[in-house]
Amino acid sequence: PGAYASDGSFASFFKCADCGAGTYSTRGATHCDTCSWGSFSPSGSSSCSECAAGTFSASATSSCSQCGEGTYSGAGASFCYQCGAGTFAAALGTSVCVDCLAGSYSTGGAEQCSPCAVGSFSESGASACSPCEAGVVSLSEGASACSPCREGTFSSSNSSCDPCEPGTYSE
């Protein structure tokens, strides 16, 4: 196994040639077969092995390649998928993308999530941040919720609380 008789005969083992990387043969073979995409084999193999999750193979190879940052794959993959919006993959060889934490967001294929800007917020797994509505604010980056202004102040924008003018008040 893993070798073949190139002249088509069932010659002794010493006349058989090893199958190259990305190919295989069974006992008595006259040629080597190519491994399918999503699998691999070192030279001299009698079978191909499936690529592990987080790796891929798009051609006859001796090993599988890791998926890049921002991408993922399941077992036996011939390519890696881009992480969807609201998720990310920070490491090479990832088999699943992770949801962005509340207060952050991502577009497709992200290696990391970005924090929401002052004046906006997000829940976990967000593809974009939402602006705070009138009367509530987020005063720092990465807010997971907007908050009302404290007593004696009011919000004319979604990113700051201003003191009430003399003769007015806010509860």
Short mmCIF file of all heavy atoms in Angstrom, two decimals, residues 93-168:
data_model
loop_
_atom_site.label_atom_id
_atom_site.label_comp_id
_atom_site.label_asym_id
_atom_site.label_seq_id
_atom_site.Cartn_x
_atom_site.Cartn_y
_atom_site.Cartn_z
N GLY A 93 -6.38 29.10 12.35
CA GLY A 93 -6.86 27.74 12.58
C GLY A 93 -8.13 27.65 13.40
O GLY A 93 -8.32 26.71 14.16
N THR A 94 -9.02 28.61 13.23
CA THR A 94 -10.25 28.65 14.01
C THR A 94 -11.34 27.81 13.37
O THR A 94 -11.52 27.83 12.16
CB THR A 94 -10.72 30.11 14.16
OG1 THR A 94 -9.71 30.85 14.83
CG2 THR A 94 -12.00 30.22 14.93
N SER A 95 -12.09 27.08 14.20
CA SER A 95 -13.18 26.26 13.69
C SER A 95 -14.54 26.91 13.90
O SER A 95 -15.54 26.41 13.39
CB SER A 95 -13.16 24.88 14.36
OG SER A 95 -13.33 25.01 15.74
N VAL A 96 -14.59 28.01 14.63
CA VAL A 96 -15.85 28.71 14.88
C VAL A 96 -15.55 30.18 15.18
O VAL A 96 -14.52 30.50 15.78
CB VAL A 96 -16.64 28.05 16.04
CG1 VAL A 96 -15.88 28.16 17.35
CG2 VAL A 96 -18.02 28.62 16.18
N CYS A 97 -16.41 31.06 14.73
CA CYS A 97 -16.27 32.48 15.03
C CYS A 97 -17.00 32.78 16.33
O CYS A 97 -17.97 32.11 16.67
CB CYS A 97 -16.83 33.33 13.89
SG CYS A 97 -15.95 33.06 12.32
N VAL A 98 -16.54 33.79 17.04
CA VAL A 98 -17.08 34.15 18.35
C VAL A 98 -17.86 35.46 18.23
O VAL A 98 -17.43 36.39 17.53
CB VAL A 98 -15.91 34.32 19.36
CG1 VAL A 98 -16.41 34.72 20.72
CG2 VAL A 98 -15.11 33.04 19.44
N ASP A 99 -18.99 35.56 18.94
CA ASP A 99 -19.78 36.79 18.95
C ASP A 99 -18.99 37.93 19.57
O ASP A 99 -18.27 37.73 20.56
CB ASP A 99 -21.07 36.62 19.76
CG ASP A 99 -22.16 35.89 19.00
OD1 ASP A 99 -22.01 35.66 17.79
OD2 ASP A 99 -23.17 35.55 19.64
N CYS A 100 -19.14 39.13 19.02
CA CYS A 100 -18.58 40.32 19.64
C CYS A 100 -19.27 40.54 20.98
O CYS A 100 -20.46 40.25 21.13
CB CYS A 100 -18.82 41.55 18.76
SG CYS A 100 -17.92 41.53 17.20
N LEU A 101 -18.54 41.05 21.95
CA LEU A 101 -19.11 41.36 23.25
C LEU A 101 -20.01 42.59 23.14
O LEU A 101 -19.86 43.40 22.23
CB LEU A 101 -18.00 41.64 24.26
CG LEU A 101 -17.07 40.47 24.58
CD1 LEU A 101 -15.95 40.92 25.51
CD2 LEU A 101 -17.85 39.33 25.19
N ALA A 102 -20.93 42.74 24.09
CA ALA A 102 -21.75 43.95 24.16
C ALA A 102 -20.82 45.15 24.23
O ALA A 102 -19.78 45.11 24.90
CB ALA A 102 -22.67 43.89 25.37
N GLY A 103 -21.18 46.21 23.53
CA GLY A 103 -20.34 47.41 23.50
C GLY A 103 -19.36 47.42 22.34
O GLY A 103 -18.56 48.34 22.21
N SER A 104 -19.43 46.39 21.48
CA SER A 104 -18.54 46.33 20.32
C SER A 104 -19.31 45.75 19.13
O SER A 104 -20.41 45.24 19.28
CB SER A 104 -17.30 45.50 20.63
OG SER A 104 -17.64 44.16 20.88
N TYR A 105 -18.69 45.82 17.95
CA TYR A 105 -19.33 45.34 16.73
C TYR A 105 -18.27 44.90 15.74
O TYR A 105 -17.08 45.18 15.91
CB TYR A 105 -20.17 46.45 16.10
CG TYR A 105 -19.32 47.54 15.48
CD1 TYR A 105 -19.06 47.54 14.12
CD2 TYR A 105 -18.75 48.53 16.27
CE1 TYR A 105 -18.25 48.52 13.55
CE2 TYR A 105 -17.94 49.51 15.71
CZ TYR A 105 -17.69 49.50 14.36
OH TYR A 105 -16.88 50.45 13.80
N SER A 106 -18.68 44.20 14.68
CA SER A 106 -17.77 43.86 13.59
C SER A 106 -18.55 43.72 12.29
O SER A 106 -19.73 43.42 12.29
CB SER A 106 -17.02 42.56 13.87
OG SER A 106 -17.87 41.45 13.67
N THR A 107 -17.83 43.95 11.20
CA THR A 107 -18.36 43.64 9.88
C THR A 107 -17.83 42.25 9.52
O THR A 107 -17.07 41.67 10.28
CB THR A 107 -17.91 44.70 8.86
OG1 THR A 107 -16.48 44.75 8.87
CG2 THR A 107 -18.48 46.06 9.20
N GLY A 108 -18.17 41.70 8.39
CA GLY A 108 -17.73 40.36 8.02
C GLY A 108 -16.22 40.22 7.89
O GLY A 108 -15.54 41.16 7.51
N GLY A 109 -15.70 39.05 8.26
CA GLY A 109 -14.28 38.76 8.12
C GLY A 109 -13.39 39.44 9.15
O GLY A 109 -12.20 39.61 8.92
N ALA A 110 -13.93 39.76 10.31
CA ALA A 110 -13.18 40.51 11.32
C ALA A 110 -12.22 39.64 12.12
O ALA A 110 -12.52 38.51 12.46
CB ALA A 110 -14.14 41.22 12.28
N GLU A 111 -11.04 40.21 12.39
CA GLU A 111 -10.06 39.59 13.27
C GLU A 111 -10.31 39.99 14.72
O GLU A 111 -9.84 39.32 15.63
CB GLU A 111 -8.66 40.02 12.86
CG GLU A 111 -8.28 39.58 11.46
CD GLU A 111 -6.97 40.15 11.00
OE1 GLU A 111 -6.17 40.62 11.84
OE2 GLU A 111 -6.73 40.13 9.78
N GLN A 112 -11.00 41.09 14.91
CA GLN A 112 -11.37 41.57 16.24
C GLN A 112 -12.57 42.49 16.10
O GLN A 112 -12.88 42.95 15.02
CB GLN A 112 -10.21 42.30 16.90
CG GLN A 112 -9.78 43.56 16.18
CD GLN A 112 -8.57 44.21 16.82
OE1 GLN A 112 -7.87 43.61 17.60
NE2 GLN A 112 -8.32 45.46 16.49
N CYS A 113 -13.23 42.74 17.22
CA CYS A 113 -14.39 43.64 17.21
C CYS A 113 -13.93 45.05 17.57
O CYS A 113 -12.93 45.23 18.26
CB CYS A 113 -15.43 43.15 18.22
SG CYS A 113 -16.06 41.51 17.80
N SER A 114 -14.65 46.03 17.08
CA SER A 114 -14.34 47.43 17.36
C SER A 114 -15.29 47.96 18.41
O SER A 114 -16.48 47.62 18.39
CB SER A 114 -14.49 48.26 16.08
OG SER A 114 -13.64 47.77 15.08
N PRO A 115 -14.80 48.83 19.32
CA PRO A 115 -15.70 49.37 20.35
C PRO A 115 -16.67 50.38 19.75
O PRO A 115 -16.35 51.08 18.79
CB PRO A 115 -14.74 50.05 21.33
CG PRO A 115 -13.52 50.36 20.53
CD PRO A 115 -13.43 49.30 19.47
N CYS A 116 -17.86 50.45 20.33
CA CYS A 116 -18.83 51.47 19.91
C CYS A 116 -18.29 52.84 20.29
O CYS A 116 -17.64 53.00 21.33
CB CYS A 116 -20.18 51.23 20.60
SG CYS A 116 -21.02 49.73 20.07
N ALA A 117 -18.56 53.83 19.47
CA ALA A 117 -18.11 55.20 19.73
C ALA A 117 -18.94 55.83 20.85
O ALA A 117 -20.05 55.36 21.15
CB ALA A 117 -18.24 56.02 18.45
N VAL A 118 -18.41 56.88 21.44
CA VAL A 118 -19.16 57.66 22.42
C VAL A 118 -20.48 58.07 21.78
O VAL A 118 -20.52 58.46 20.61
CB VAL A 118 -18.34 58.90 22.85
CG1 VAL A 118 -19.18 59.84 23.69
CG2 VAL A 118 -17.09 58.48 23.59
N GLY A 119 -21.58 57.94 22.52
CA GLY A 119 -22.89 58.31 21.99
C GLY A 119 -23.64 57.15 21.36
O GLY A 119 -24.74 57.32 20.86
N SER A 120 -23.04 55.96 21.40
CA SER A 120 -23.69 54.79 20.82
C SER A 120 -23.46 53.58 21.72
O SER A 120 -22.66 53.62 22.65
CB SER A 120 -23.19 54.52 19.41
OG SER A 120 -21.82 54.19 19.42
N PHE A 121 -24.15 52.46 21.41
CA PHE A 121 -24.07 51.24 22.22
C PHE A 121 -24.38 50.04 21.35
O PHE A 121 -24.87 50.19 20.23
CB PHE A 121 -25.07 51.31 23.39
CG PHE A 121 -26.49 51.13 22.93
CD1 PHE A 121 -27.12 49.90 23.06
CD2 PHE A 121 -27.20 52.17 22.34
CE1 PHE A 121 -28.43 49.72 22.63
CE2 PHE A 121 -28.50 51.99 21.90
CZ PHE A 121 -29.12 50.77 22.05
N SER A 122 -24.13 48.84 21.88
CA SER A 122 -24.55 47.61 21.19
C SER A 122 -24.72 46.49 22.19
O SER A 122 -24.13 46.49 23.27
CB SER A 122 -23.52 47.19 20.13
OG SER A 122 -22.39 46.61 20.75
N GLU A 123 -25.54 45.51 21.78
CA GLU A 123 -25.66 44.26 22.52
C GLU A 123 -24.62 43.30 21.92
O GLU A 123 -23.99 43.62 20.92
CB GLU A 123 -27.08 43.71 22.38
CG GLU A 123 -28.11 44.61 23.02
CD GLU A 123 -29.54 44.09 22.86
OE1 GLU A 123 -29.73 43.06 22.18
OE2 GLU A 123 -30.44 44.71 23.42
N SER A 124 -24.45 42.13 22.49
CA SER A 124 -23.47 41.18 21.96
C SER A 124 -23.88 40.70 20.56
O SER A 124 -25.06 40.64 20.23
CB SER A 124 -23.29 39.98 22.90
OG SER A 124 -24.48 39.25 22.99
N GLY A 125 -22.89 40.39 19.74
CA GLY A 125 -23.14 39.89 18.39
C GLY A 125 -23.61 40.95 17.41
O GLY A 125 -24.20 40.63 16.39
N ALA A 126 -23.30 42.22 17.68
CA ALA A 126 -23.80 43.32 16.83
C ALA A 126 -22.93 43.53 15.59
O ALA A 126 -21.70 43.42 15.64
CB ALA A 126 -23.86 44.61 17.63
N SER A 127 -23.59 43.86 14.48
CA SER A 127 -22.88 44.20 13.25
C SER A 127 -22.70 45.71 13.12
O SER A 127 -21.99 46.18 12.24
CB SER A 127 -23.63 43.67 12.03
OG SER A 127 -24.92 44.22 11.98
N ALA A 128 -23.35 46.47 14.01
CA ALA A 128 -23.22 47.93 14.05
C ALA A 128 -23.67 48.41 15.43
O ALA A 128 -24.38 47.69 16.14
CB ALA A 128 -24.09 48.58 12.97
N CYS A 129 -23.26 49.60 15.78
CA CYS A 129 -23.69 50.20 17.04
C CYS A 129 -24.90 51.10 16.78
O CYS A 129 -25.05 51.65 15.69
CB CYS A 129 -22.56 51.02 17.66
SG CYS A 129 -21.13 50.00 18.08
N SER A 130 -25.76 51.25 17.77
CA SER A 130 -26.95 52.08 17.65
C SER A 130 -26.74 53.38 18.43
O SER A 130 -26.18 53.35 19.53
CB SER A 130 -28.16 51.36 18.24
OG SER A 130 -28.38 50.14 17.56
N PRO A 131 -27.21 54.50 17.89
CA PRO A 131 -27.06 55.76 18.64
C PRO A 131 -28.01 55.79 19.84
O PRO A 131 -29.09 55.20 19.80
CB PRO A 131 -27.44 56.83 17.61
CG PRO A 131 -28.30 56.12 16.61
CD PRO A 131 -27.85 54.69 16.59
N CYS A 132 -27.58 56.45 20.89
CA CYS A 132 -28.45 56.64 22.06
C CYS A 132 -29.58 57.58 21.67
O CYS A 132 -29.39 58.50 20.87
CB CYS A 132 -27.66 57.25 23.22
SG CYS A 132 -26.35 56.17 23.84
N GLU A 133 -30.75 57.34 22.22
CA GLU A 133 -31.90 58.19 21.92
C GLU A 133 -31.83 59.46 22.76
O GLU A 133 -31.05 59.56 23.71
CB GLU A 133 -33.19 57.42 22.22
CG GLU A 133 -33.38 56.23 21.31
CD GLU A 133 -34.67 55.48 21.57
OE1 GLU A 133 -35.52 55.98 22.34
OE2 GLU A 133 -34.82 54.39 21.01
N ALA A 134 -32.67 60.43 22.44
CA ALA A 134 -32.71 61.69 23.17
C ALA A 134 -32.96 61.44 24.65
O ALA A 134 -33.77 60.58 25.01
CB ALA A 134 -33.81 62.58 22.59
N GLY A 135 -32.23 62.14 25.49
CA GLY A 135 -32.41 62.04 26.93
C GLY A 135 -31.51 61.02 27.60
O GLY A 135 -31.44 60.95 28.82
N VAL A 136 -30.84 60.19 26.83
CA VAL A 136 -29.90 59.22 27.39
C VAL A 136 -28.58 59.33 26.63
O VAL A 136 -28.54 59.78 25.49
CB VAL A 136 -30.44 57.78 27.34
CG1 VAL A 136 -31.61 57.60 28.28
CG2 VAL A 136 -30.82 57.38 25.93
N VAL A 137 -27.49 58.93 27.27
CA VAL A 137 -26.16 59.11 26.70
C VAL A 137 -25.27 57.89 26.96
O VAL A 137 -25.56 57.08 27.83
CB VAL A 137 -25.45 60.35 27.30
CG1 VAL A 137 -26.18 61.62 26.96
CG2 VAL A 137 -25.30 60.20 28.81
N SER A 138 -24.21 57.80 26.20
CA SER A 138 -23.08 56.93 26.54
C SER A 138 -21.86 57.84 26.49
O SER A 138 -21.58 58.46 25.47
CB SER A 138 -22.94 55.74 25.59
OG SER A 138 -22.53 56.13 24.30
N LEU A 139 -21.20 57.95 27.61
CA LEU A 139 -20.13 58.93 27.76
C LEU A 139 -18.74 58.37 27.45
O LEU A 139 -17.77 59.11 27.47
CB LEU A 139 -20.15 59.51 29.17
CG LEU A 139 -21.47 60.22 29.55
CD1 LEU A 139 -21.44 60.66 31.00
CD2 LEU A 139 -21.72 61.39 28.62
N SER A 140 -18.65 57.06 27.20
CA SER A 140 -17.34 56.47 26.88
C SER A 140 -17.48 55.46 25.76
O SER A 140 -18.58 54.99 25.47
CB SER A 140 -16.75 55.82 28.14
OG SER A 140 -17.60 54.77 28.58
N GLU A 141 -16.36 55.11 25.15
CA GLU A 141 -16.35 54.07 24.12
C GLU A 141 -16.75 52.74 24.71
O GLU A 141 -16.52 52.48 25.89
CB GLU A 141 -14.94 53.93 23.53
CG GLU A 141 -14.58 54.91 22.49
CD GLU A 141 -13.27 54.51 21.79
OE1 GLU A 141 -12.53 53.64 22.29
OE2 GLU A 141 -13.01 55.08 20.73
N GLY A 142 -17.32 51.88 23.89
CA GLY A 142 -17.60 50.51 24.30
C GLY A 142 -18.79 50.35 25.21
O GLY A 142 -18.85 49.40 25.99
N ALA A 143 -19.78 51.23 25.10
CA ALA A 143 -20.96 51.14 25.96
C ALA A 143 -21.89 50.02 25.51
O ALA A 143 -22.12 49.82 24.32
CB ALA A 143 -21.71 52.46 25.98
N SER A 144 -22.42 49.29 26.48
CA SER A 144 -23.39 48.23 26.18
C SER A 144 -24.82 48.72 26.38
O SER A 144 -25.76 48.00 26.08
CB SER A 144 -23.11 47.00 27.05
OG SER A 144 -23.21 47.34 28.41
N ALA A 145 -24.98 49.94 26.90
CA ALA A 145 -26.30 50.54 27.10
C ALA A 145 -26.12 52.05 27.25
O ALA A 145 -25.02 52.52 27.53
CB ALA A 145 -26.97 49.98 28.35
N CYS A 146 -27.18 52.78 27.05
CA CYS A 146 -27.18 54.22 27.28
C CYS A 146 -27.77 54.48 28.66
O CYS A 146 -28.59 53.71 29.14
CB CYS A 146 -28.00 54.92 26.20
SG CYS A 146 -27.35 54.66 24.52
N SER A 147 -27.34 55.57 29.27
CA SER A 147 -27.79 55.90 30.63
C SER A 147 -28.41 57.27 30.66
O SER A 147 -28.00 58.17 29.91
CB SER A 147 -26.60 55.89 31.59
OG SER A 147 -25.92 54.67 31.53
N PRO A 148 -29.39 57.49 31.57
CA PRO A 148 -29.95 58.83 31.70
C PRO A 148 -28.92 59.76 32.34
O PRO A 148 -28.04 59.31 33.08
CB PRO A 148 -31.16 58.62 32.60
CG PRO A 148 -30.91 57.34 33.32
CD PRO A 148 -30.01 56.52 32.45
N CYS A 149 -29.06 61.03 32.06
CA CYS A 149 -28.19 62.02 32.70
C CYS A 149 -28.56 62.09 34.18
O CYS A 149 -29.71 61.83 34.57
CB CYS A 149 -28.39 63.39 32.05
SG CYS A 149 -27.77 63.47 30.36
N ARG A 150 -27.60 62.43 35.02
CA ARG A 150 -27.89 62.53 36.45
C ARG A 150 -28.69 63.79 36.73
O ARG A 150 -28.77 64.71 35.88
CB ARG A 150 -26.62 62.45 37.27
CG ARG A 150 -25.60 63.48 36.97
CD ARG A 150 -24.39 63.30 37.91
NE ARG A 150 -23.84 64.59 38.19
CZ ARG A 150 -22.88 65.15 37.49
NH1 ARG A 150 -22.33 64.50 36.50
NH2 ARG A 150 -22.46 66.35 37.77
N GLU A 151 -29.28 63.84 37.92
CA GLU A 151 -30.13 64.98 38.30
C GLU A 151 -29.36 66.28 38.14
O GLU A 151 -28.17 66.35 38.42
CB GLU A 151 -30.59 64.83 39.75
CG GLU A 151 -31.59 63.72 39.93
CD GLU A 151 -32.08 63.61 41.37
OE1 GLU A 151 -31.87 64.54 42.17
OE2 GLU A 151 -32.69 62.58 41.68
N GLY A 152 -30.07 67.31 37.67
CA GLY A 152 -29.47 68.63 37.49
C GLY A 152 -28.79 68.80 36.15
O GLY A 152 -28.21 69.84 35.87
N THR A 153 -28.83 67.75 35.30
CA THR A 153 -28.24 67.85 33.97
C THR A 153 -29.26 67.32 32.94
O THR A 153 -30.24 66.67 33.30
CB THR A 153 -26.94 67.03 33.83
OG1 THR A 153 -27.24 65.64 34.00
CG2 THR A 153 -25.90 67.47 34.86
N PHE A 154 -29.01 67.64 31.69
CA PHE A 154 -29.88 67.16 30.61
C PHE A 154 -29.01 66.84 29.40
O PHE A 154 -27.85 67.24 29.33
CB PHE A 154 -30.94 68.22 30.26
CG PHE A 154 -30.36 69.41 29.52
CD1 PHE A 154 -30.48 69.50 28.15
CD2 PHE A 154 -29.65 70.40 30.20
CE1 PHE A 154 -29.94 70.59 27.46
CE2 PHE A 154 -29.11 71.48 29.52
CZ PHE A 154 -29.25 71.57 28.15
N SER A 155 -29.59 66.11 28.46
CA SER A 155 -28.86 65.72 27.26
C SER A 155 -29.46 66.38 26.04
O SER A 155 -30.63 66.18 25.73
CB SER A 155 -28.92 64.20 27.09
OG SER A 155 -28.37 63.85 25.85
N SER A 156 -28.66 67.18 25.37
CA SER A 156 -29.09 67.75 24.09
C SER A 156 -28.47 66.97 22.94
O SER A 156 -28.79 67.19 21.79
CB SER A 156 -28.70 69.23 24.00
OG SER A 156 -27.30 69.36 24.13
N SER A 157 -27.56 66.06 23.28
CA SER A 157 -26.96 65.17 22.29
C SER A 157 -26.89 63.78 22.92
O SER A 157 -27.22 63.60 24.08
CB SER A 157 -25.56 65.65 21.90
OG SER A 157 -24.66 65.43 22.96
N ASN A 158 -26.43 62.80 22.20
CA ASN A 158 -26.36 61.45 22.75
C ASN A 158 -25.02 61.15 23.40
O ASN A 158 -24.75 60.04 23.82
CB ASN A 158 -26.66 60.41 21.67
CG ASN A 158 -25.72 60.52 20.49
OD1 ASN A 158 -24.76 61.28 20.50
ND2 ASN A 158 -26.02 59.74 19.45
N SER A 159 -24.15 62.20 23.51
CA SER A 159 -22.81 61.95 24.04
C SER A 159 -22.38 62.88 25.17
O SER A 159 -21.24 62.84 25.60
CB SER A 159 -21.79 62.02 22.91
OG SER A 159 -21.81 63.30 22.31
N SER A 160 -23.29 63.74 25.65
CA SER A 160 -22.91 64.60 26.77
C SER A 160 -24.14 65.02 27.58
O SER A 160 -25.25 65.09 27.06
CB SER A 160 -22.18 65.86 26.28
OG SER A 160 -23.07 66.68 25.53
N CYS A 161 -23.90 65.27 28.85
CA CYS A 161 -24.92 65.79 29.76
C CYS A 161 -24.50 67.19 30.15
O CYS A 161 -23.36 67.40 30.60
CB CYS A 161 -25.05 64.90 31.01
SG CYS A 161 -25.68 63.25 30.65
N ASP A 162 -25.38 68.16 29.94
CA ASP A 162 -25.07 69.56 30.23
C ASP A 162 -25.83 70.00 31.46
O ASP A 162 -26.97 69.57 31.69
CB ASP A 162 -25.45 70.43 29.02
CG ASP A 162 -24.70 70.00 27.76
OD1 ASP A 162 -23.48 69.80 27.85
OD2 ASP A 162 -25.36 69.84 26.71
N PRO A 163 -25.23 70.91 32.28
CA PRO A 163 -25.93 71.38 33.48
C PRO A 163 -27.17 72.21 33.10
O PRO A 163 -27.18 72.89 32.07
CB PRO A 163 -24.90 72.25 34.19
CG PRO A 163 -23.70 72.32 33.34
CD PRO A 163 -23.91 71.47 32.13
N CYS A 164 -28.19 72.10 33.92
CA CYS A 164 -29.40 72.90 33.70
C CYS A 164 -29.07 74.38 33.91
O CYS A 164 -28.23 74.74 34.74
CB CYS A 164 -30.50 72.48 34.68
SG CYS A 164 -31.12 70.81 34.38
N GLU A 165 -29.73 75.23 33.14
CA GLU A 165 -29.56 76.67 33.26
C GLU A 165 -30.16 77.15 34.58
O GLU A 165 -31.06 76.50 35.12
CB GLU A 165 -30.26 77.38 32.09
CG GLU A 165 -29.64 77.09 30.74
CD GLU A 165 -28.26 77.66 30.59
OE1 GLU A 165 -28.00 78.78 31.12
OE2 GLU A 165 -27.40 77.00 29.96
N PRO A 166 -29.68 78.26 35.11
CA PRO A 166 -30.27 78.80 36.34
C PRO A 166 -31.79 79.00 36.17
O PRO A 166 -32.25 79.42 35.09
CB PRO A 166 -29.57 80.15 36.51
CG PRO A 166 -28.28 80.01 35.77
CD PRO A 166 -28.58 79.08 34.63
N GLY A 167 -32.53 78.60 37.17
CA GLY A 167 -33.98 78.72 37.13
C GLY A 167 -34.67 77.52 36.52
O GLY A 167 -35.90 77.51 36.39
N THR A 168 -33.91 76.48 36.13
CA THR A 168 -34.50 75.25 35.57
C THR A 168 -33.96 74.05 36.36
O THR A 168 -33.00 74.17 37.11
CB THR A 168 -34.14 75.07 34.09
OG1 THR A 168 -32.73 74.88 33.95
CG2 THR A 168 -34.58 76.27 33.26
#
